């Protein structure tokens, strides 16, 4: 089922894929922070079918407590891989976040492994000067242990961290971007993750990661305007 958060005839439609297996706040925050005339959510792990791409101008693949290698125990991951392939084939702008970053790269032939270390704090990253990162400072929040160790075919590195060379990627031809960090993680929802969140030397005051979502929405808008 879709949850429509706002509608304006003729505006852009962005679909947020919620991958929370047992509930969570992340995808809801993505939807809340995304500028858009019609933002929809679809929970994949608990959905009975695949979401429609009809009239969709952009797709965000959100994070998950599952790993891309959990496919045998999480059959929804197999369906979502096919869904991602469809999004890519139709050249719909696509943003992968954390699990989404890993899934998109794996779909394109990349490799994802468990690093053996859980990172739940603010880190410093080096981000390329591309439209997706306009106004995004180099301090971003992460919550993960899995990392991309080999990007997918056609994906180029646009962001690195001291522990991961493939921290953010984009496709050299198609409108595909992926980030390991969580642009939707803000101080407002940090209390919900008090048991897992660790403080670091950085402060949220130095982070403008949410701009990533605004910039992606703008990319969708520009692409829609060109196609019209």
């Amino acid at each position: 089922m879709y949850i429509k958060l706002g509608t304006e005839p003729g505006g852009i439609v962005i679909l947020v894929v919620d991958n929370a297996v047992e509930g969570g706040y992340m995808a809801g925050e993505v939807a809340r922070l995304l500028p858009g005339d019609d933002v929809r959510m679809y929970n994949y792990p608990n959905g009975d079918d695949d979401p429609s791409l009809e009239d969709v101008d952009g797709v965000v693949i959100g994070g998950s407590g599952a790993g891309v290698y959990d496919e045998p125990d999480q059959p929804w991951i197999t369906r979502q891989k096919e869904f991602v392939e469809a999004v890519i084939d139709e050249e719909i702008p696509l943003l992968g976040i954390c699990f989404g970053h890993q899934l998109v790269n794996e779909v394109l032939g990349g490799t994802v492994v468990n690093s053996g270390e859980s990172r739940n704090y603010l880190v410093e990253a080096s981000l390329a000067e591309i439209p997706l990162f306009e106004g995004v400072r180099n301090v971003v929040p992460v919550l993960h242990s899995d990392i991309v160790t080999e990007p997918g075919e056609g994906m180029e590195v646009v962001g690195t961290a001291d522990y991961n060379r493939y921290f953010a990627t984009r496709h050299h031809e198609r409108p595909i971007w992926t980030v390991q960090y969580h642009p939707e993680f803000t101080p407002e929802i940090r209390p919900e993750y008090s048991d897992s969140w660790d403080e670091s030397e950085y402060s949220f005051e130095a982070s403008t990661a949410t701009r990533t979502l605004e910039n992606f929405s703008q990319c969708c808008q520009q692409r829609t305007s060109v196609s019209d």
Side-chain angles (χ1 to χ4, degrees):
M1 177 179 294
Y2 291 124
I3 302 177
K4 295 188 177 182
L5 303 180
T7 303
E8 178 180 320
I12 64 170
V13 177
I14 299 179
L15 171 66
V16 177
V17 176
D18 177 8
N19 290 315
V21 178
E22 297 180 354
Y25 299 86
M26 295 297 202
E29 285 300 293
V30 171
R32 184 180 70 84
L33 294 168
L34 261 174
D37 305 302
D38 188 347
V39 179
R40 308 172 181 178
M41 284 179 57
Y42 183 86
N43 180 263
Y44 233 103
N46 300 301
D48 296 326
D49 52 11
D50 299 324
S52 171
L53 289 174
E54 183 178 0
D55 300 325
V56 170
D57 301 302
V59 176
V60 179
I61 305 292
S64 178
V68 297
Y69 42 73
D70 291 331
E71 194 170 352
D73 298 322
Q74 302 284 348
W76 61 269
I77 296 177
T78 302
R79 290 194 296 111
Q80 189 168 142
K81 285 182 176 180
E82 296 172 351
F83 172 75
V84 168
E85 290 176 348
V87 174
I88 294 173
D89 288 343
E90 295 192 26
E91 298 193 2
I92 298 172
L94 173 63
L95 174 64
I97 296 174
C98 197
F99 173 86
H101 161 68
Q102 298 153 13
L103 185 72
V104 171
N105 274 280
E106 184 174 87
V107 165
L108 291 170
T111 305
V112 177
V113 303
N114 189 314
S115 69
E117 180 179 349
S118 180
R119 296 176 173 86
N120 305 292
Y121 42 75
L122 290 163
V123 303
E124 184 175 8
S126 177
L127 303 175
E129 294 184 3
I130 61 174
L132 184 71
F133 299 143
E134 184 176 352
V136 179
R137 298 175 185 170
N138 62 351
V139 173
V140 294
V142 298
L143 297 94
H144 70 112
S145 58
D146 294 348
I147 60 174
V148 173
T149 55
E150 187 67 34
E153 183 177 354
M155 301 295 279
E156 58 186 21
V157 177
V158 292
T160 62
D162 60 0
Y163 64 90
N164 184 10
R165 179 182 175 185
Y166 309 110
F167 192 73
T169 61
R170 72 171 177 185
H171 199 276
H172 67 89
E173 291 181 343
R174 298 175 183 271
I176 305 169
W177 302 267
T178 71
V179 296
Q180 182 57 72
Y181 64 91
H182 281 273
E184 77 280 19
F185 192 88
T186 64
E188 286 72 26
I189 65 170
R190 181 171 53 178
E192 305 297 340
Y193 294 83
S194 59
D195 293 339
S196 57
W197 182 257
D198 298 319
E199 298 298 332
S200 70
E201 60 185 294
Y202 303 108
S203 165
F204 273 100
E205 295 179 355
S207 179
T208 56
T210 57
R211 281 289 302 272
T212 309
L213 298 173
E214 299 173 31
N215 294 338
F216 176 69
S217 180
Q218 186 63 33
C219 289
C220 296
Q221 181 67 63
Q222 291 173 348
R223 191 170 181 85
T224 301
S225 298
V226 170
S227 63
D228 290 344

